[in-house]
Amino acid sequence: MFDLGVAGDDADDLFREITKLYPIDFSGSDLPERFGSEGFWPWQPPLLLLRLLKSIFTRLIFGQALQDRTGGVRIRDVTDWAMAGKWTPPR
């Protein structure tokens, strides 16, 4: 969760506890893609470097930032899901 800095298994634990209190249907969600892994893997530094270069290139050429898919879940998204009882793409 972007607001809290939650990633990996911690996100899984957090959402498990939230769904105990609020029945939210997460079918069709892309939550696993939105939370990075907790650990540090050997291939992560090169991928992070490529992502950084792509972001810089996109800003220079197109004058815009890339949409970040990881960590894009905010507390307000979770409260919206709890009130609706189902997952919807984060704003």
Side-chain angles (χ1 to χ4, degrees):
M1 187 171 298
F2 183 76
D3 293 342
L4 301 176
V6 177
D9 290 338
D10 292 338
D12 187 45
D13 294 340
L14 177 64
F15 281 103
R16 188 174 293 118
E17 293 300 317
I18 288 172
T19 56
K20 286 180 183 176
L21 298 172
Y22 305 98
I24 302 171
D25 178 15
F26 284 107
S27 60
S29 74
D30 61 351
L31 288 179
E33 296 172 16
R34 293 185 177 273
F35 293 98
S37 64
E38 283 185 57
F40 188 74
W41 301 97
W43 59 82
Q44 285 178 322
L47 291 177
L48 291 173
L49 179 61
L50 287 174
R51 188 171 183 196
L52 175 66
L53 293 174
K54 184 177 180 182
S55 177
I56 291 170
F57 178 77
T58 303
R59 275 184 193 255
L60 291 175
I61 301 299
F62 301 108
Q64 63 188 18
L66 291 175
Q67 190 77 338
D68 186 15
R69 286 187 52 95
T70 59
V73 175
R74 299 187 186 275
I75 292 173
R76 78 163 180 244
D77 298 321
V78 178
T79 57
D80 290 346
W81 300 336
M83 292 183 72
K86 64 179 182 176
W87 177 86
T88 56
R91 306 182 230 168

